[in-house]
């Protein structure tokens, strides 16, 4: 179950069958901001990042027992609680007819197949021998909206997360809320963090890594993977660009140094992408290509490493995966030359 601070409300049966909520019967005044303009959105919404959808502000971690302290740079081996903020845009309350699925993955640009997620990666859900991978019922009642103001509830994942920093990098977090009574299981076979808000599900991703530039030359390496979840080979362009620190200002309270990070912007040198999970230092220094074109087989992933040096200050880097000039995957890395 999903722990919260409210009591549980159950669906009222009518003639032996669950009562379907009004949003499946009538059109809503709430529409999507992206995707198919004719598609109507459902009551629950997990906010995606904007303009970078993989930087959702609605998914975060706190130390176990300290829900008020958000952490943007979890430490391997320590225990954390994962939180997901959901909004109800409809006047009717939402009960346990909706489920929440939460998982972690290694830093990944692009979509991830549900079939590739192991039980160890699931923080809120199970892998059932009958139903497959499913989320857990939302047992914390979510009140209806008050006019144009949505109700907001923070949900706690059932399992404690102990990061292991597999792949020598930070993991990313994905959350999916869906109307289980209508769907019966996860509504997707692929976890796409940019999927439009639908009537029966909403999905978001938080993929921000924080790492120090180390050694006397202030070098950094950030391993990640790029995946192709489609049924055929695809050619992608992987690119890395430095961006203004202000784009992650809302996450800085959880970063070492807090908002003071904004006061010391730095300039990344020798920014590069290497098609190797473990390049040596010589390769990192020699790397100068901040983009790479690569073909990836169906249902496969390729390992990469983001490299560069940051002599001083702090820097934000976005890594994007594009297909036919459309961004289909992304992750962000905050590099701290002087983590204080």
């Amino acid at each position: 179950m999903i722990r919260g601070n409210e009591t549980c409300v159950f669906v009222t049966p009518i003639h032996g069958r669950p009562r379907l909520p009004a949003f499946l019967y009538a059109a809503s005044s709430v529409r999507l901001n992206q995707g198919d303009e004719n598609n109507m959105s459902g009551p629950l919404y997990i906010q995606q990042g904007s303009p970078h959808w993989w930087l959702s502000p609605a998914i975060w971690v706190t130390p176990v027992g300290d829900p008020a302290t958000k952490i943007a740079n979890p430490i391997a081996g320590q225990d954390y609680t994962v939180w997901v903020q959901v909004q109800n845009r409809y006047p009717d309350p939402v009960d346990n007819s909706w489920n929440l699925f939460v998982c972690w993955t290694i830093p990944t640009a692009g979509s991830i197949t549900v079939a590739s997620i192991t039980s160890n990666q699931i923080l809120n859900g199970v892998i059932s021998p009958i139903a497959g991978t499913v989320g857990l019922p939302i047992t914390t009642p979510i009140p209806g909206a008050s006019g144009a103001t949505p109700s907001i509830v923070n949900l706690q994942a059932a399992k404690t997360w102990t990061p292991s920093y597999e792949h020598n990098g930070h993991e990313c977090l994905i959350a999916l809320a869906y109307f289980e009574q209508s769907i019966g299981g996860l509504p997707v076979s692929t976890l796409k963090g940019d999927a439009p808000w639908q009537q029966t599900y909403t999905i978001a991703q938080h993929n921000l890594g924080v790492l120090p530039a180390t050694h006397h030359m202030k070098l950094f390496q950030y391993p990640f993977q790029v995946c192709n979840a489609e049924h055929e080979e695809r050619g992608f362009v992987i690119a890395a660009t430095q961006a203004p620190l202000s784009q992650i200002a809302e996450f800085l309270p959880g970063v070492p140094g807090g908002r003071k990070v904004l006061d010391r912007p730095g300039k990344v040198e020798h920014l590069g992408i290497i098609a190797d999970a473990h390049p040596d230092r010589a390769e990192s220094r020699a790397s100068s290509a901040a983009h790479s074109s690569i073909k990836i087989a169906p249902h496969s992933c390729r390992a990469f490493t983001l490299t560069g040096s940051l002599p001083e200050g702090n820097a934000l880097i976005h890594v994007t995966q594009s297909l036919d000039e459309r961004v289909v995957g992304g992750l962000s890395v905050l590099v701290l030359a002087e983590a204080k």
Side-chain angles (χ1 to χ4, degrees):
M1 65 184 293
I2 301 165
R3 296 185 289 271
N5 55 6
E6 308 275 351
T7 56
C8 182
V9 175
F10 294 92
V11 176
T12 302
I14 297 180
H15 302 303
R17 298 181 62 185
R19 175 176 59 85
L20 294 180
F23 76 87
L24 289 180
Y25 288 120
S28 163
S29 61
V30 182
R31 287 186 177 271
L32 295 172
N33 293 321
Q34 57 177 313
D36 184 0
E37 291 298 326
N38 296 318
N39 192 11
M40 309 306 294
S41 56
L44 289 193
Y45 175 57
I46 303 175
Q47 184 179 351
Q48 296 180 346
S50 178
H52 306 290
W53 48 263
W54 58 86
L55 291 176
S56 170
I59 307 171
W60 67 89
V61 303
T62 63
V64 169
D66 184 9
T69 302
K70 293 184 179 180
I71 300 294
N73 60 325
I75 298 173
Q78 296 191 11
D79 295 337
Y80 297 92
T81 300
V82 177
W83 297 87
V84 179
Q85 184 178 91
V86 296
Q87 302 179 26
N88 184 1
R89 302 293 184 92
Y90 277 59
D92 294 333
V94 170
D95 51 36
N96 66 345
S97 57
W98 282 73
N99 282 14
L100 179 68
F101 175 79
V102 182
C103 70
W104 66 265
T105 75
I106 63 175
T108 302
S111 303
I112 301 167
T113 61
V114 172
S116 69
I117 301 297
T118 67
S119 58
N120 177 58
Q121 294 174 261
I122 298 175
L123 301 172
N124 208 84
V126 295
I127 298 179
S128 164
I130 299 176
T133 302
V134 296
L136 299 181
I138 298 175
T139 58
T140 299
I142 303 177
S146 176
T149 304
S151 68
I152 298 176
V153 173
N154 297 333
L155 302 175
Q156 178 181 340
K159 290 177 60 177
T160 296
W161 180 41
T162 306
S164 60
Y165 288 169
E166 295 188 22
H167 213 297
N168 294 323
H170 299 30
E171 289 89 350
C172 70
L173 298 165
I174 300 173
L176 168 67
Y178 63 97
F179 184 53
E180 194 276 338
Q181 286 197 347
S182 172
I183 299 171
L186 289 188
V188 295
S189 59
T190 302
L191 299 174
K192 297 181 179 180
D194 64 337
W197 180 19
Q198 304 286 338
Q199 266 201 338
T200 52
Y201 72 90
T202 173
I203 187 171
Q205 177 181 1
H206 186 83
N207 202 351
L208 173 65
V210 181
L211 77 161
T214 59
H215 308 296
H216 68 285
M217 296 186 68
K218 298 295 184 179
L219 300 176
F220 63 85
Q221 293 186 348
Y222 190 83
F224 65 97
Q225 67 178 5
V226 175
C227 296
N228 175 19
E230 303 300 326
H231 298 296
E232 58 186 33
E233 183 182 70
R234 295 289 175 88
F236 299 100
V237 175
I238 316 303
T241 56
Q242 186 171 351
L245 290 166
S246 58
Q247 292 186 0
I248 56 165
E250 64 184 307
F251 305 121
L252 292 180
V255 171
R259 296 190 64 84
K260 292 182 180 179
V261 168
L262 295 174
D263 300 333
R264 290 185 54 79
K267 181 175 176 56
V268 175
E269 298 178 355
H270 310 295
L271 182 63
I273 296 176
I274 300 174
D276 189 338
H278 305 286
D280 58 32
R281 193 175 301 179
E283 288 180 289
S284 296
R285 287 198 298 266
S287 175
S288 60
H291 63 86
S292 175
S293 297
I294 191 167
K295 290 185 178 181
I296 302 179
H299 302 293
S300 301
C301 298
R302 289 286 301 271
F304 288 86
T305 298
L306 176 71
T307 67
S309 63
L310 183 63
E312 60 181 6
N314 311 296
L316 173 65
I317 303 167
H318 296 312
V319 178
T320 57
Q321 173 187 358
S322 298
L323 174 66
D324 298 329
E325 300 184 351
R326 182 175 70 89
V327 175
V328 295
L331 58 88
S332 298
V333 181
L334 174 61
V335 185
L336 307 175
E338 300 177 8
K340 295 181 179 179

